[in-house]
Amino acid sequence: MARMAERRICPAFQCVLLVALMCAAVQSSPATHKKKPHIIVMLADDMGWNDVGFHGSNQIPTPNIDALAYDGIILNQHYVPALCTPSRSALLTGKHPIHTGMQHLVILEPEAWGLPLKEKTMAQYLRDAGYVTRAVGKWHLGYFKKEYTPIYRGFDSHYGYWNGYHDYYDHSVEATFRPWKGYDMRRDLDVDWDAKGQYSTDLFTAEAVRAISSHDTSPEAPPLFMYIAHLAPHSGNEDNPLQAPEDALARVMHIKDEQRRAYAAMVAKLDDSVGEVMDALRRKGMLENSIVLFLSDNGGATHGIHYNRGSNFPLRGMKHSPWEGGVRGVAAVWSPLLNKTQRVSNQLIHVTDWLPTFLSAAGVDMSEMTDFYGVDQWKALSEDSSSPRTEVLHNVDEIDNYAALRRGDWKYINGTTQRGQSDSWYGDSGRGSEEPEYDIEAILGSKSATASYSVRSRRARRGLVRQPLEESLVRMLRSQAEVRCRRNKADASAAEEEAEVAASSGYACRPLVAPCLFNLRDDPCETTNLAASRPLVVLSLEESLSRYRKSAVPPGNPKSDDPNADPAYWNNTWVNWADHRAPNRDFVDVVTVRTPTDAFAAIPQSVQITVIVAIVVLLVFVIALGLHRVLRSRKKMDM
């Protein structure tokens, strides 16, 4: 009987073992990459903190962005570098710009440099993990050689432009500090002349929707990673910086200032794009297994070079400054895969965190990836637990001679940018009596909200219930997401008044004279300098900065422009000029000529042969002359 029992048990055990092995095989099979989430990143350019409705302003309608934020997670402590190039390098590498040489300023049009080729990008990591990778819009990480362009940095395709901005309609780029102008719109390496005359935001939206619509969603097909880096609401060329279609301008006619109105219309078109992308994901059936991130690369540029009239109210500073208005960016993440959503997060997050976070969400083993500055935030965001990050280095820039660091609630600033010209409080509040009422109905009826509702309905049918997005929830989350200075007036003078009080009390901040210290929990608008009263905190933060300085690499910015970049030599287009020789021009290629061997290789072959022959003849002559002199001297000695 024991043997009979053994016979009955063994087959059962074998069946269980066989099923377990089959499950393990399925889990390890390449076919299971369908379970990896689609990852969609929508990056706004120079968007101000106060230019979305969910932060409390009534001025610019952003119903799609707001709906995505309210139904996802509003990231109220999300930090970015203060400029375009450093921010993009940080997002795509997971490394701090001080560790990649990208910490100082941006890549200007005629500069021969880019994100170092040794750096692996988010697209390369995700492609290795089985993703199809698409890039749409702005690049701004180098293009002087083709190896620096998106399709050589892990993207299967790229539609957009290589520089930091261009005209919204004719897609020309005027060099920032040179009298040069050229066309910049590409499909991979090819110039797209057909785009001329079409609005950039619409072009990028259409491309993103087309890529989603054509994506293979069959069980064996790979997931999609799409990086949509908009031009909006960055300014265009200096001669016409703020451009928007008439239909968008009609939505914001309540704004009296013409420039601010144009900027608001640019933001409105960006908001439309967010809705179209969410709707495309819904229609394709991809939304239920997607992570959608919306963020700005840095604060708004209220004034100065490439200004766009963005508002960072009530935060201090703006783009290209170490203040909160420059480095605390608009951000929200949406995904049905997150357990605790419809909330305002005050978890400390840095833009470098997204690469390890996405890899974690995709189930990628990161045990050997130890050189990220970013940390995995997936569990913290999903479960609303404490952030694994306690400190954010804003920057250490030895050229501009400033440094800024946040640890916990404390923020340290020593030095500043632009000689202090962006150290105050700027921008419209959007909270005056002349502003329209906040239109919650438009939010609830937006394409983003409709897309979210469709996912919620399907999940509810499976017993996964989430609270519907309704007016009371929207009002509660909006109130929680609004940053208030202690003197909560509806204009920028509130913070300025508070700073004057602090100055009269001996708490003024003069970062070009001495370091400043702020408690951001009590003083998010950076009005009261506590450095004198908290010297030990200052000392501790300075010790951290000293360690960062030791680990930093020198900035990669070249000392001068390359004259060979001039579009006049390349059919009036911006090209990867270091891969070519400018036509009908005698010059020394300062980009590719770095060694004598490289210099010789740049010479035409016919000239090379002539040079070689001349050198050989010269050597023969010198040798013959030497032998002749030796023979003559010997004859003289014999005589």
Side-chain angles (χ1 to χ4, degrees):
M1 291 184 63
R3 288 183 179 178
M4 290 178 63
E6 188 178 41
R7 289 194 194 102
R8 287 195 296 269
I9 292 172
C10 287
F13 175 76
Q14 290 170 359
C15 289
V16 171
L17 181 61
L18 180 61
V19 169
L21 289 172
M22 289 173 64
C23 289
V26 168
Q27 288 178 354
S28 61
S29 168
T32 59
H33 58 44
K34 70 180 188 295
K35 295 183 179 180
K36 291 186 174 71
H38 307 292
I39 298 171
I40 312 297
V41 177
M42 292 184 274
L43 183 64
D45 198 345
D46 290 6
M47 187 180 209
W49 175 266
N50 197 44
D51 297 329
V52 290
F54 68 79
H55 278 157
S57 173
N58 292 350
Q59 193 176 57
I60 303 177
T62 54
N64 287 290
I65 297 171
D66 289 5
L68 182 145
Y70 291 136
D71 208 37
I73 303 174
I74 297 172
L75 305 172
N76 251 28
Q77 305 281 343
H78 184 272
Y79 285 96
V80 290
L83 282 169
C84 304
T85 293
S87 190
R88 287 153 211 277
S89 73
L91 171 65
L92 292 182
T93 65
K95 294 185 178 182
H96 200 283
I98 70 165
H99 296 140
T100 59
M102 311 298 287
Q103 67 269 46
H104 178 67
L105 298 181
V106 300
I107 299 174
L108 295 176
E109 304 78 19
E111 292 183 340
W113 70 300
L115 179 68
L117 298 179
K118 66 179 181 179
E119 301 299 344
K120 191 172 182 178
T121 69
M122 182 181 291
Q124 289 168 309
Y125 280 107
L126 290 174
R127 190 159 68 179
D128 289 348
Y131 278 74
V132 169
T133 58
R134 308 288 185 201
V136 178
K138 174 173 172 174
W139 180 235
H140 211 190
L141 289 174
Y143 66 93
F144 74 105
K145 291 184 177 181
K146 65 180 185 298
E147 288 81 9
Y148 288 82
T149 64
I151 60 170
Y152 285 86
R153 306 309 298 265
F155 289 101
D156 296 322
S157 66
H158 171 239
Y159 181 74
Y161 61 106
W162 289 342
N163 279 290
Y165 62 93
H166 66 191
D167 184 274
Y168 278 77
Y169 287 102
D170 70 25
H171 314 308
S172 66
V173 179
E174 295 174 350
T176 307
F177 298 114
R178 291 273 194 173
W180 300 344
K181 187 175 183 177
Y183 188 78
D184 189 6
M185 185 66 90
R186 298 269 172 173
R187 184 170 294 282
D188 300 332
L189 290 178
D190 297 327
V191 179
D192 180 22
W193 294 106
D194 293 337
K196 201 165 187 177
Q198 301 180 65
Y199 193 66
S200 289
T201 306
D202 291 339
L203 284 168
F204 300 147
T205 302
E207 179 68 17
V209 169
R210 185 162 45 248
I212 292 168
S213 301
S214 62
H215 183 71
D216 185 357
T217 55
S218 59
E220 68 278 2
L224 173 66
F225 165 55
M226 181 176 288
Y227 171 59
I228 311 168
H230 274 285
L231 166 62
H234 195 290
S235 61
N237 291 324
E238 188 176 354
D239 60 349
N240 192 8
L242 304 174
Q243 300 171 299
E246 291 297 325
D247 65 316
L249 286 165
R251 300 183 226 169
V252 290
M253 290 306 293
H254 59 276
I255 301 176
K256 295 182 176 64
D257 182 273
E258 184 178 353
Q259 290 184 330
R260 177 68 175 167
R261 183 165 63 244
Y263 172 81
M266 292 155 67
V267 172
K269 289 296 291 182
L270 174 65
D271 183 78
D272 291 345
S273 179
V274 172
E276 293 297 332
V277 169
M278 291 291 284
D279 187 55
L281 291 167
R282 176 192 64 80
R283 287 185 282 108
K284 190 65 175 178
M286 296 167 61
L287 202 56
E288 193 167 357
N289 189 36
S290 289
I291 302 169
V292 180
L293 171 66
F294 177 86
L295 73 162
S296 180
D297 62 345
N298 44 249
T302 311
H303 65 259
I305 189 169
H306 299 312
Y307 77 92
N308 63 4
R309 292 301 306 278
S311 171
N312 302 303
F313 176 92
L315 303 178
R316 186 174 185 173
M318 50 172 261
K319 174 184 178 179
H320 193 200
S321 81
W323 308 98
E324 293 292 284
V327 299
R328 190 167 171 176
V330 174
V333 62
W334 180 97
S335 178
L337 307 177
L338 294 164
N339 291 328
K340 295 187 178 180
T341 56
Q342 298 178 335
R343 66 183 179 88
V344 177
S345 163
N346 285 299
Q347 293 147 310
L348 193 61
I349 298 175
H350 189 254
V351 68
T352 54
D353 296 342
W354 290 112
L355 176 49
T357 298
F358 289 152
L359 294 177
S360 175
V364 176
D365 181 10
M366 295 185 291
S367 59
E368 297 183 4
M369 303 179 192
T370 59
D371 58 348
F372 291 144
Y373 178 73
V375 297
D376 175 12
Q377 297 272 8
W378 183 250
K379 182 178 180 181
L381 288 171
S382 183
E383 304 298 335
D384 191 15
S385 57
S386 298
S387 171
R389 175 176 293 284
T390 58
E391 183 175 280
V392 167
L393 172 68
H394 296 306
N395 204 7
V396 175
D397 189 332
E398 303 293 4
I399 298 176
D400 277 348
N401 196 29
Y402 82 94
L405 172 75
R406 175 175 176 174
R407 183 194 297 156
D409 294 328
W410 295 106
K411 181 175 178 181
Y412 170 99
I413 295 178
N414 189 5
T416 186
T417 58
Q418 307 170 79
R419 301 181 300 280
Q421 295 177 8
S422 299
D423 289 0
S424 191
W425 294 262
Y426 314 100
D428 292 15
S429 72
R431 292 161 175 78
S433 58
E434 71 280 4
E435 307 296 349
E437 289 292 322
Y438 189 56
D439 193 348
I440 295 180
E441 287 300 317
I443 295 166
L444 299 180
S446 68
K447 288 188 175 182
S448 284
T450 302
S452 295
Y453 178 79
S454 70
V455 172
R456 188 185 302 111
S457 298
R458 286 195 298 273
R459 291 172 67 83
R461 287 195 292 271
R462 302 202 312 270
L464 303 170
V465 181
R466 184 160 46 160
Q467 181 180 357
L469 198 60
E470 56 188 20
E471 182 175 349
S472 59
L473 178 61
V474 167
R475 292 193 183 280
M476 180 189 73
L477 293 174
R478 191 180 194 226
S479 177
Q480 292 175 359
E482 184 175 3
V483 173
R484 298 175 178 85
C485 294
R486 282 174 291 189
R487 296 186 178 198
N488 189 28
K489 293 186 178 180
D491 55 51
S493 63
E496 291 177 333
E497 277 190 32
E498 194 166 345
E500 288 177 8
V501 172
S504 64
S505 305
Y507 293 102
C509 171
R510 299 182 180 88
L512 293 172
V513 177
C516 302
L517 180 70
F518 302 96
N519 186 315
L520 294 181
R521 181 185 57 191
D522 299 333
D523 181 23
C525 301
E526 298 172 291
T527 61
T528 306
N529 177 20
L530 301 176
S533 61
R534 295 297 186 104
L536 293 180
V537 176
V538 171
L539 180 61
S540 176
L541 295 176
E542 287 179 338
E543 288 176 348
S544 290
L545 281 170
S546 178
R547 290 194 294 271
Y548 281 119
R549 281 192 174 92
K550 291 177 182 177
S551 67
V553 300
N557 311 64
K559 294 182 179 179
S560 61
D561 295 342
D562 185 346
N564 304 327
D566 186 351
Y569 301 116
W570 311 105
N571 194 27
N572 295 311
T573 60
W574 293 96
V575 304
N576 46 307
W577 70 89
D579 293 325
H580 312 287
R581 178 176 174 83
N584 303 319
R585 183 181 180 214
D586 294 326
F587 70 105
V588 175
D589 189 336
V590 299
V591 176
T592 57
V593 179
R594 299 193 182 276
T595 67
T597 303
D598 292 335
F600 187 72
I603 300 172
Q605 189 173 11
S606 59
V607 179
Q608 290 181 23
I609 295 170
T610 304
V611 171
I612 292 170
V613 171
I615 291 172
V616 171
V617 170
L618 181 61
L619 286 173
V620 171
F621 175 76
V622 170
I623 293 170
L625 183 62
L627 289 172
H628 177 69
R629 288 179 176 174
V630 169
L631 291 173
R632 284 185 61 186
S633 63
R634 284 184 177 177
K635 286 181 179 179
K636 288 180 180 180
M637 291 176 65
D638 292 340
M639 291 174 62

